[in-house]
Amino acid sequence: MQITGIKSLVKDFSISTGLYRPIRNLYRSLNQDQFKEQSAFFQREVSFYSKLLDSDSLCFDIGANIGTKAEAFLIAGAKVVAFEPQPECMRELKARCSHYRSKFHPVQKAVGAEPGESTLYTRERSGIASFYEDWVGTVQSSIQVSITTLDRAIDEFGKPDYCKIDVEGWELEVLKGLTQPISLLSFEYHITEREINTTAACIDYLSHLGKIQINVVPAEMHSFVFQEWLTPDEFLKRFPEDVADLGKDGYGEIWVRSY
């Protein structure tokens, strides 16, 4: 059996027995050199969000996957509502973060323009599952998932201080379910023709909800590209040219703050 298969079996065992966190901690302590860079990166994540979020801020993590960002938000002191439609990801997300008890609320749903159901196309990595069949990667299967909207989530949990959206091309559909400004929000961008157009459409949509300013954090980085936050017009004059060569693999996060 390949090493990846063994790791998968160990992970399944640790989750099903409620031993996910202690086994994960033990494995990492025995392989410190292997996880040294990953641990340092995660600490930079926590530091970045700690500077942006007040203690007890409410965060929505839309497209939470296995909880890497959610865990960083929680360690930074935030309360987190994590939306993730993939069942296997939800199992690990709960195992990873549920010990935060009242500060963590998992929701096994996607977020979109309207409540209902839609087809999610899973791929070789859970992090690139998408509602687009022609997204990157190779489609492994398709599943029907429940969808809620941002407005409904706000009605249920309150308006978030920060909303992170990472949904593999579905960003505009998520925003279409929002009819009110959120003080701080980020969504993923990709430097491809279709996704550049999606980014512009997302900014246009948000600008109709109220006045906004924009910045960028390229992938694998923990600082804003622009020293001063930009108006939508200023930003679109500089995107994607001023960020295309930054970060990793031509993607990152667009940050939007309302004022």
Side-chain angles (χ1 to χ4, degrees):
M1 181 179 292
Q2 295 182 344
I3 292 176
T4 54
I6 295 173
K7 286 182 178 179
S8 179
L9 286 174
V10 171
K11 180 183 287 189
D12 287 344
F13 170 80
S14 68
I15 292 173
S16 62
T17 57
L19 297 173
Y20 174 85
R21 292 183 64 248
I23 289 178
R24 176 172 173 247
N25 292 337
L26 175 62
Y27 180 78
R28 293 191 172 200
S29 69
L30 295 174
N31 298 273
Q32 291 185 23
D33 290 342
Q34 178 184 345
F35 287 98
K36 186 176 181 180
E37 184 176 341
Q38 185 177 336
S39 177
F41 179 86
F42 183 73
Q43 290 305 316
R44 291 194 296 272
E45 289 258 280
V46 173
S47 177
F48 177 73
Y49 291 114
S50 295
K51 294 173 184 176
L52 289 171
L53 304 172
D54 293 331
S55 179
D56 257 7
S57 292
L58 175 61
C59 296
F60 282 2
D61 186 352
I62 299 175
N65 200 253
I66 61 172
T68 305
K69 292 279 189 181
E71 187 176 27
F73 302 152
L74 288 161
I75 293 173
K79 296 174 290 187
V80 177
V81 182
F83 299 84
E84 174 53 52
Q86 298 179 79
E88 288 304 306
C89 289
M90 179 55 69
R91 289 180 70 231
E92 186 167 354
L93 174 64
K94 288 179 177 179
R96 187 172 192 156
C97 297
S98 288
H99 63 288
Y100 286 93
R101 302 182 188 280
S102 62
K103 299 194 76 171
F104 173 70
H105 191 102
V107 179
Q108 192 173 324
K109 290 182 180 181
V111 180
E114 297 179 351
E117 290 190 350
S118 190
T119 302
L120 181 71
Y121 297 95
T122 65
R123 288 167 167 79
E124 62 272 21
R125 290 188 290 110
S126 62
I128 55 174
S130 175
F131 288 103
Y132 287 114
E133 190 171 5
D134 63 348
W135 193 248
V136 297
T138 303
V139 173
Q140 304 291 307
S141 64
S142 63
I143 56 175
Q144 289 296 113
V145 300
S146 297
I147 295 179
T148 188
T149 68
L150 267 173
D151 278 346
R152 285 196 171 196
I154 289 170
D155 287 343
E156 184 173 357
F157 302 105
K159 183 181 286 191
D161 301 291
Y162 167 57
C163 178
K164 166 243 160 190
I165 304 170
D166 182 355
V167 289
E168 306 305 306
W170 193 249
E171 291 78 13
L172 182 58
E173 294 303 308
V174 172
L175 294 175
K176 285 178 179 179
L178 178 69
T179 60
Q180 53 195 298
I182 292 174
S183 57
L184 187 63
L185 179 151
S186 67
F187 63 88
E188 195 172 64
Y189 71 85
H190 291 261
I191 306 299
T192 65
E193 183 176 356
R194 180 174 72 182
E195 299 314 309
I196 290 169
N197 290 334
T198 296
T199 293
C202 288
I203 290 171
D204 179 68
Y205 186 89
L206 289 169
S207 68
H208 284 85
L209 299 182
K211 292 184 177 180
I212 59 173
Q213 294 176 319
I214 303 166
N215 218 317
V216 178
V217 177
E220 312 300 334
M221 295 177 64
H222 298 98
S223 60
F224 293 109
V225 169
F226 303 117
Q227 187 173 357
E228 302 291 334
W229 289 63
L230 307 177
T231 66
D233 287 343
E234 290 169 339
F235 174 76
L236 291 172
K237 288 177 182 177
R238 302 180 65 172
F239 180 84
E241 288 77 13
D242 286 6
V243 302
D245 296 327
L246 301 176
K248 180 183 178 183
D249 298 332
Y251 76 99
E253 294 175 323
I254 305 291
W255 284 70
V256 180
R257 66 183 186 188
S258 299
Y259 67 100

